[in-house]
Amino acid sequence: MSRRSINDLLKPKKLYCPSKADRTGAKGRFETKASARAEDAKRAMSLRRCAEKFPEIINAEAAIKLADKLSASAGEKPPATLASATFYRARRNAVGGQLWQLVETCGIAPIVTATIIPEGWDIPGLDLDQVDPVRFMERFRKALNRCGAVGSSGFIFAFMHGEYEASADVWQLHVHLVAGGEMVDVLKRLKKLKGYRTKRAAGYGTASPVYRRIRISDKPLTNLPDPLTYPMQSFWPARARYETDKGSKRQIVKRRIVEPFHTLQLLWIDRFSFKDLSLLMGLRVTSSGLKLTRQSGT
């Protein structure tokens, strides 16, 4: 019998179900089934238009097949593809809820969230289909191990996300994560590792515009489960960078990626699963949810 993976996590108890959480006073909101289905309809339409308009750039046949899948999301059972906002919502609900229950009940402190942009994770626009997320996340695991993750208690839950920077025609891949216990110190040591250090960029177009590659928020977690579902985002936005007299800045507003790059991203993510995009350290998947494997002092 194969070992359980994050793909096998079941929907949590109602108390920890993000889609049923009380949103009173919260800044964020878990997407509804209706909004996810509407997004799938938009994606299907865009895929078909792109197949007709850009057959020399994208695989038109694959785009049409994926559009047909997404059109079926109006049914009771969503198509099993991460290109579907409806299917992604179901997995995000299950995994985010199980992570929520773990955080609330594990008794570990501190627990932080972080965003990490490893050097070399900026991919030319047309090269996204060559990216293997499993290999990228394995390299990230090795970097954490070099910083003492193997001998540390606590946990890390990390997930890959991406943005498209049209001004440079680059996909900026990155990791959002939740970490607890001694793994927080591992993240802090990661800042000193080559490829993760903070350094001033020489200017957009001449060097990587990324100044701070690791951002750790050690503020108490609020508006749960938002910080725990945030790492898993179905929507990849377009955010441009531009130069100011104070250096490179990022556009604040997130926009929909233009075609044919939006279709390229959907065709790419259609090939993978939650397991492929994630990294679990100090955690294992069981029939009852996520369990710690490294207690303090062991």
Side-chain angles (χ1 to χ4, degrees), residues 17-33:
C17 190
S19 63
K20 299 182 183 301
D22 180 6
R23 313 310 298 150
T24 304
K27 294 181 180 179
R29 175 171 78 85
F30 197 83
E31 64 268 30
T32 64
K33 284 184 180 180

Side-chain angles (χ1 to χ4, degrees), residues 114-123 136-137 140 158-165 171-177 210 213 230-231 233 235-237 239 241 250 254 277:
T115 296
I116 299 178
I117 311 174
E119 192 173 316
W121 284 37
D122 44 342
I123 310 299
F136 273 57
M137 296 302 277
F140 180 49
F159 206 84
M160 179 184 283
H161 189 228
E163 296 180 352
Y164 179 65
E165 297 176 10
W171 297 96
Q172 183 58 77
L173 304 181
H174 52 275
V175 170
H176 296 300
L177 63 79
V210 179
R213 294 197 172 275
Y230 180 78
Q233 300 179 52
F235 183 75
W236 283 32
R239 292 179 70 179
R241 286 186 180 272
R250 295 173 71 212
K254 297 180 179 181
L277 300 176

